[in-house]
Amino acid sequence: MAGVVTGEDGRLLAIRRADNGTWELPGGVLELDETPEASVAREVFEETGIHVEVNQLTGVYKNTTRGIVALVFRCKPSGGTERTSSESTAVDWLTPEEVSERMAEVFAIRLLDALDGNGPHVRNHDGKSLIAAR
């Protein structure tokens, strides 16, 4: 689960992960007793300090190497203050251009897909690069 949180100025909430130093959107694993929407809200808050209202599914992304499927939801900030956590060493609001510069393609596309309004998108990747649809 992951959340694309868009501020009123169009900037997107991102974290620098503590475990590998890469920039990604906030998110994590769905707990057995929660809905996907509740999971996204919890994970975004845990990693960034920002409360969100979860709006809509914007994409489904499968890592074909690891067999992991991520659901990505567009979210609206509803309070809180940016802070890091044990899972994030930085929290920042990025422009779409900064997203493309700082994030690997397989993570940047999730944010950019959420902005285009044509979702939900369904994409496959190998952990590093997108795999073209057949």
Side-chain angles (χ1 to χ4, degrees):
M1 302 295 139
V4 175
V5 184
T6 307
E8 289 184 18
D9 62 358
R11 290 180 179 263
L12 303 157
L13 187 63
I15 64 164
R16 187 171 55 221
R17 290 177 51 115
D19 60 353
N20 62 18
T22 61
W23 283 92
E24 297 182 15
L25 60 164
V29 178
L30 176 68
E31 301 292 336
L32 288 175
D33 64 343
E34 66 186 352
T35 65
E37 294 86 353
S39 175
V40 170
R42 176 184 53 78
E43 287 287 349
V44 170
F45 179 73
E46 286 177 0
E47 294 179 3
T48 69
I50 300 297
H51 293 284
V52 295
E53 172 186 309
V54 180
N55 293 325
Q56 72 180 78
L57 178 69
T58 59
V60 178
Y61 303 85
K62 180 179 181 186
N63 180 326
T64 59
T65 304
R66 297 181 62 203
I68 297 170
V69 175
L71 303 177
V72 178
F73 292 83
R74 187 170 27 230
C75 304
K76 178 180 169 184
S78 61
T81 303
E82 294 91 355
R83 59 150 174 76
T84 58
S85 71
S86 62
E87 298 177 74
S88 60
T89 60
V91 176
D92 202 356
W93 293 90
L94 307 178
T95 65
E97 295 75 27
E98 290 168 327
V99 165
S100 295
E101 292 167 8
R102 293 191 195 181
M103 290 186 185
E105 175 188 42
V106 297
F107 297 109
I109 195 68
R110 298 173 188 194
L111 287 139
L112 302 175
D113 279 352
L115 297 179
D116 76 9
N118 294 323
H121 297 271
V122 178
R123 297 188 188 270
N124 295 300
H125 64 89
D126 62 9
K128 295 182 179 162
S129 301
L130 292 173
I131 298 170
R134 298 179 198 191

